Amino acid sequence: MADKQYAKPGEYSIVDMLAVASAREVKDEEVVFAGTGLPMLAIMLAQQLSAPNSKLIYEAGTIDSKGDSLPSSVGDPRCVTKASVASGLFDVFNQLQRGKVDLAYLGGAEIDKYGNVNTTVVGDYLTPSMRFPGSGGNPDINSLARRTVFIMVQEKRRFKEQVDYITSPGWMVKKWPEGTLVHRQEAYGKKFLGGPSAVITNMAVFRFNEEIGTMYVDTLHPGVTREQLQENTGFTLDFSHCKGETEPPTYEELRILRDVVDPEGIFLPPIK
């Protein structure tokens, strides 16, 4: 697309921005593990544009789904449409354990500068101030996919110096029993395949220095300043590798997203 026509502020929503930015993470011919919501928008948009030969796995048990309409969840019968395999959790998680998944999309309640994610509790584990639904498949997916993209809301209470509980390990994890931080590769040994590669929020795109295991700012979404981003983060941000502004959605990306991927508005809010 040599002459990209970018949408202007007000012509797209933050959900559009998140879906488009997430879709740009998919490479052609990759196997992608997706959950309900934004991950569905992202992978289906990517298949229409940059990654037509990518393969989609839905967590509930379908592999290589080729639905003509957007499912409302990973358990929607539409996930089975033209799928190569329609089975269950055992089969799709077996693909993870065999190292066949290139990219996985996940979310979380808290994340720290090393990419450790909490979906378990706020506060002490035994006497928490808030208890979340729990891990689900989060640690398995994050541990076994070759790379993971987290989609989260940018808030100081969510982006913390240290998460209250590590549900899903990032690039630096505690080695037991001594509890010292070691690199993910050392902890995983021969099972190491990769780790968190990006965090996409309503304000920015973050990536990781995989050698030292820390997060840095890659791009700021249009209209967001460095000061605003830092105000919404609980640790000091690294802007040393910041490329500038995230590319806004193009009109073509928005057209496909709204008219082809989600014409029913299942996950996309209307533009006012």
Side-chain angles (χ1 to χ4, degrees), residues 78-138:
R78 284 181 282 188
C79 294
V80 180
T81 306
K82 302 176 187 175
S84 298
V85 176
S87 183
L89 287 170
F90 180 86
D91 278 348
V92 296
F93 276 86
N94 181 45
Q95 301 304 313
L96 276 164
Q97 292 168 352
R98 294 171 61 203
K100 300 297 185 182
V101 174
D102 299 298
L103 170 63
Y105 290 110
L106 289 171
E110 295 179 345
I111 191 168
D112 64 24
K113 63 182 179 181
Y114 300 118
N116 294 306
V117 168
N118 175 17
T119 62
T120 305
V121 296
V122 172
D124 179 72
Y125 180 78
L126 296 177
T127 57
S129 59
M130 183 177 294
R131 189 175 293 278
F132 301 119
S135 63
N138 206 300

Side-chain angles (χ1 to χ4, degrees), residues 13-162:
S13 70
I14 190 58
V15 178
D16 294 326
M17 182 78 248
L18 286 166
V20 168
S22 301
R24 292 169 180 167
E25 298 294 316
V26 184
K27 301 171 185 174
D28 201 18
E29 299 190 359
E30 285 193 316
V31 176
V32 181
F33 204 100
T36 297
L38 273 165
M40 289 179 161
L41 296 175
I43 179 58
M44 291 184 73
L45 176 61
Q47 287 179 325
Q48 292 287 331
L49 291 171
S50 58
N53 300 303
S54 57
K55 308 298 181 186
L56 172 58
I57 294 180
Y58 283 133
E59 186 176 350
T62 54
I63 300 175
D64 196 20
S65 175
K66 300 184 182 72
D68 297 322
S69 59
L70 183 70
S72 59
S73 74
V74 293
D76 191 317
R78 284 181 282 188
C79 294
V80 180
T81 306
K82 302 176 187 175
S84 298
V85 176
S87 183
L89 287 170
F90 180 86
D91 278 348
V92 296
F93 276 86
N94 181 45
Q95 301 304 313
L96 276 164
Q97 292 168 352
R98 294 171 61 203
K100 300 297 185 182
V101 174
D102 299 298
L103 170 63
Y105 290 110
L106 289 171
E110 295 179 345
I111 191 168
D112 64 24
K113 63 182 179 181
Y114 300 118
N116 294 306
V117 168
N118 175 17
T119 62
T120 305
V121 296
V122 172
D124 179 72
Y125 180 78
L126 296 177
T127 57
S129 59
M130 183 177 294
R131 189 175 293 278
F132 301 119
S135 63
N138 206 300
D140 306 75
I141 298 165
N142 180 46
S143 297
L144 298 169
R146 295 185 181 276
R147 72 184 197 283
T148 307
V149 171
F150 285 95
I151 305 172
M152 297 181 64
V153 175
Q154 186 82 41
E155 293 178 331
K156 184 173 285 189
R157 63 177 180 151
R158 294 175 180 270
F159 280 68
K160 303 178 69 171
E161 183 75 30
Q162 181 177 328

